[in-house]
Amino acid sequence: MTITSRKDHSHREQQTPGPIEWLVGLVSALLIVVLIAWMAREAIMQESPPPQLDIEITGIEKAGRYFRVDFALANRSDATAAAVRVEGVLRREGAEPERSDVTFDYAPAHSSTKGGLLFEGDPAAGTLTVRPTGFAEP
């Protein structure tokens, strides 16, 4: 009987990482540190401008015994505004100015939202002013 021996050709991994593994690990760690530092700098150092709020009247309709003034509130800046108050004042000849206001919870950066104000008098019979009167930083 003849016995043939086979050599063991199994693959064994090195116990210590090779130079390429060290290089990849070092570059990855450096990249992570740079990204974290950049994000921290942006969060701390970047000063955003205050919100830029604009109002555009989109319609006036009779709504029951009131007149509804529909408008769009746009925030054209990079900053979010909270508790945005919009006031409308209707001035008519021989009458006291009529006021109406609404508060929006927030106006995100570069966004537009819609709202409405109610008046007893007809806005077409007087001078109507609608403007944002205040906001808070969130």
Side-chain angles (χ1 to χ4, degrees):
M1 178 157 129
T2 310
I3 300 177
T4 9
S5 86
R6 289 194 228 176
K7 291 187 178 177
D8 186 41
H9 293 292
S10 64
H11 176 70
R12 291 186 186 166
E13 294 204 16
Q14 293 179 333
Q15 296 298 321
T16 59
I20 292 178
E21 290 170 324
W22 279 105
L23 180 64
V24 169
L26 183 63
V27 168
S28 299
L30 183 63
L31 184 61
I32 289 171
V33 168
V34 167
L35 285 174
I36 290 173
W38 178 72
M39 288 188 320
R41 181 191 163 279
E42 287 293 313
I44 293 170
M45 303 299 283
Q46 183 181 19
E47 290 186 28
S48 62
Q52 181 185 346
L53 303 171
D54 294 320
I55 300 285
E56 179 184 348
I57 295 175
T58 57
I60 299 173
E61 288 186 29
K62 180 93 168 123
R65 62 174 256 210
Y66 298 103
F67 288 89
R68 187 183 70 236
V69 176
D70 297 320
F71 65 89
L73 168 68
N75 182 358
R76 303 194 192 289
S77 76
D78 293 332
T80 297
V84 179
R85 185 169 179 261
V86 175
E87 178 186 55
V89 179
L90 175 59
R91 289 180 176 79
R92 291 176 292 158
E93 184 110 11
E96 288 290 317
E98 184 179 351
R99 298 179 186 280
S100 180
D101 66 76
V102 64
T103 301
F104 291 87
D105 290 335
Y106 67 97
H110 301 288
S111 71
S112 180
T113 188
K114 296 178 181 179
L117 298 169
L118 299 175
F119 294 94
E120 288 181 2
D122 185 357
T127 303
L128 177 65
T129 305
V130 178
R131 67 184 184 94
T133 59
F135 65 90
E137 289 188 16

